[in-house]
Amino acid sequence: MEILDKHSIENSEFIEETFAFWYTDENHIRSPFPVNIQFRLKKEATEKFHDWLKNLKPEAKEEINKGKIAEKLEEIIFETALPLITTEDEKISTLYPFLPRVGDPLYDDSKKSTIVVDRYLKKVDDTNYLHVSCVNKETDEKWDTKFELPA
């Protein structure tokens, strides 16, 4: 593994593409990271990633591949982001980036468009849920639903 130099990691295409992927709202991906932490997150996560690479044992360096490296970088990014986040809603977006967010459209049983107006995490017994409150745009009727979250 030859990418252990800190400067080359910070300026690498791999780092730039990874952060561009998570910071850009394109296609089916929306950035789970608030804009106000993105600069600091990139700096701190890149430093932690460099330290992780630098401290790999020689036998691990021989076995590592691009997939494992990419997975570790994303893990570091998400772990680094959580302490930088200031609101519960931002935390939910970071922990569960693909679930509905406040302002998203959802559809009730009648297939009428509604908007997510609130969400929160709740644990029931050993199961975690994302509770979502919605308002029907046509009738102002409110309804709630929940999504079981991965462990």
Side-chain angles (χ1 to χ4, degrees):
M1 180 105 261
E2 292 295 323
I3 61 169
L4 297 180
D5 173 73
K6 185 175 181 180
H7 180 74
S8 66
I9 289 172
E10 289 172 350
N11 298 301
S12 74
E13 187 175 328
F14 171 68
I15 293 288
E16 292 303 317
E17 287 178 2
T18 301
F19 280 96
F21 175 82
W22 284 111
Y23 285 2
T24 305
D25 294 332
E26 289 185 6
N27 304 319
H28 67 286
I29 303 290
R30 291 182 293 171
S31 181
F33 307 112
V35 173
N36 64 317
I37 72 162
Q38 289 182 2
F39 178 81
R40 184 172 170 197
L41 174 58
K42 183 177 179 185
K43 183 179 183 324
E44 290 182 19
T46 301
E47 287 173 5
K48 289 178 183 179
F49 180 65
H50 172 259
D51 289 343
W52 175 78
L53 283 172
K54 184 174 68 174
N55 291 311
L56 280 175
K57 295 185 175 162
E59 57 273 12
K61 289 178 186 177
E62 293 175 17
E63 294 179 16
I64 202 153
N65 60 41
K66 281 187 175 185
K68 289 180 183 178
I69 290 173
E71 187 178 306
K72 185 62 179 182
L73 175 58
E74 286 189 353
E75 178 184 316
I76 290 170
I77 291 169
F78 279 83
E79 287 174 356
T80 304
L82 287 173
L84 302 176
I85 290 173
T86 57
T87 71
E88 189 63 27
D89 193 62
E90 291 170 343
K91 181 179 177 183
I92 293 170
S93 292
T94 301
L95 290 170
Y96 307 101
F98 303 110
L99 291 179
R101 300 181 191 180
V102 172
D104 284 355
L106 283 184
Y107 298 91
D108 60 17
D109 292 338
S110 66
K111 306 294 184 219
K112 292 183 181 174
S113 179
T114 61
I115 298 293
V116 175
V117 294
D118 191 25
R119 65 186 183 157
Y120 61 92
L121 301 175
K122 185 173 183 178
K123 187 171 188 164
V124 178
D125 298 321
D126 290 333
T127 306
N128 291 312
Y129 293 94
L130 174 66
H131 284 256
V132 178
S133 298
C134 301
V135 173
N136 183 303
K137 294 192 303 187
E138 296 172 17
T139 66
D140 285 335
E141 182 181 346
K142 291 186 177 183
W143 61 278
D144 296 316
T145 190
K146 64 184 176 183
F147 299 90
E148 186 174 339
L149 299 172

